[in-house]
Amino acid sequence: YSANEFLTRINLMKAYKDDSHTPVMKAKNVAVVGGGNVAMDAARSAKRLGAENVSIVYRRSEEEMPARVEEIHHAKEEGIDFKLLCNPVKIHGDENGWSTQVECIRMELGEPDASGRRRPVPVEGSEFKIDAEVVVIAIGQTPNPLIKNTTPDLKTNARGCIVAKDETGATSKTGVWA
């Protein structure tokens, strides 16, 4: 799942109910990839849905995590396992296409990148697997390119976000506000 889909299904579409029209798979083992607030929300939600083992897989150390300190603290209190300085390289599945494991590689921190954070570098030969019937990807989102690609008169920035002309939110397309 993308974290947005996972959390939307749970929180807005009531996927936690047995008769939900948009259920999420309830799993024993869940891996959440990312280190921000959304990753913490997804991990804690998976735990509340009944997962026995929930891991946060993050490629940097805890000091570099973008999540709020309180979010990290609460996730730890709820029993979330932090696999820090690890990066997924492959999702393994069964014959039906369902996830079974996430293969990860250990990382070490190198020189700072453009953001000023130390860049994670793979440690050769350090691969390992985590059991995970559900994998949630929480590594940041970009706008859906559909709007940008189908509405040429709607100005967007380099990241695909709709550009507002002024503080009213008016855009380059008449009748559309952001």
Side-chain angles (χ1 to χ4, degrees):
Y1 297 95
S2 73
N4 281 347
E5 176 187 4
F6 186 71
L7 292 170
T8 298
R9 283 186 182 201
I10 293 168
N11 293 316
L12 298 179
M13 301 170 134
K14 302 183 183 353
Y16 53 85
K17 292 185 173 183
D18 290 335
D19 63 346
S20 173
H21 295 290
T22 57
V24 292
M25 179 185 222
K26 293 178 182 165
K28 177 180 176 182
N29 303 295
V30 176
V32 178
V33 179
N37 293 326
V38 173
M40 301 305 137
D41 290 346
R44 294 172 68 198
S45 294
K47 191 75 165 175
R48 291 176 191 151
L49 283 175
E52 292 177 26
N53 307 300
V54 180
S55 298
I56 294 272
V57 180
Y58 184 61
R59 64 190 186 138
R60 290 185 164 107
S61 71
E62 187 172 327
E63 290 74 36
E64 285 84 21
M65 285 185 126
R68 292 177 44 235
V69 172
E70 298 85 359
E71 291 283 341
I72 296 167
H73 174 76
H74 292 306
K76 287 180 177 179
E77 279 185 335
E78 289 189 46
I80 306 304
D81 181 28
F82 283 71
K83 307 276 188 206
L84 302 174
L85 290 168
C86 297
N87 201 36
V89 293
K90 185 175 185 179
I91 298 174
H92 294 272
D94 63 19
E95 62 280 353
N96 297 315
W98 293 102
S99 172
T100 58
Q101 294 181 315
V102 177
E103 185 173 339
C104 299
I105 189 166
R106 298 205 187 282
M107 308 294 278
E108 59 187 12
L109 295 177
E111 295 301 315
D113 63 14
S115 73
R117 294 186 297 175
R118 290 177 61 196
R119 187 175 56 85
V121 179
V123 175
E124 294 299 321
S126 66
E127 293 84 359
F128 65 99
K129 294 176 183 169
I130 301 170
D131 289 337
E133 299 84 35
V134 167
V135 180
V136 179
I137 307 299
I139 55 173
Q141 301 294 315
T142 57
N144 186 322
L146 184 63
I147 296 282
K148 177 179 154 181
N149 295 336
T150 60
T151 316
D153 53 338
L154 183 63
K155 185 175 179 187
T156 57
N157 64 18
R159 294 187 58 164
C161 298
I162 297 171
V163 174
K165 294 192 292 187
D166 57 34
E167 65 278 347
T168 69
T171 68
S172 59
K173 184 168 178 65
T174 303
V176 176
W177 282 262

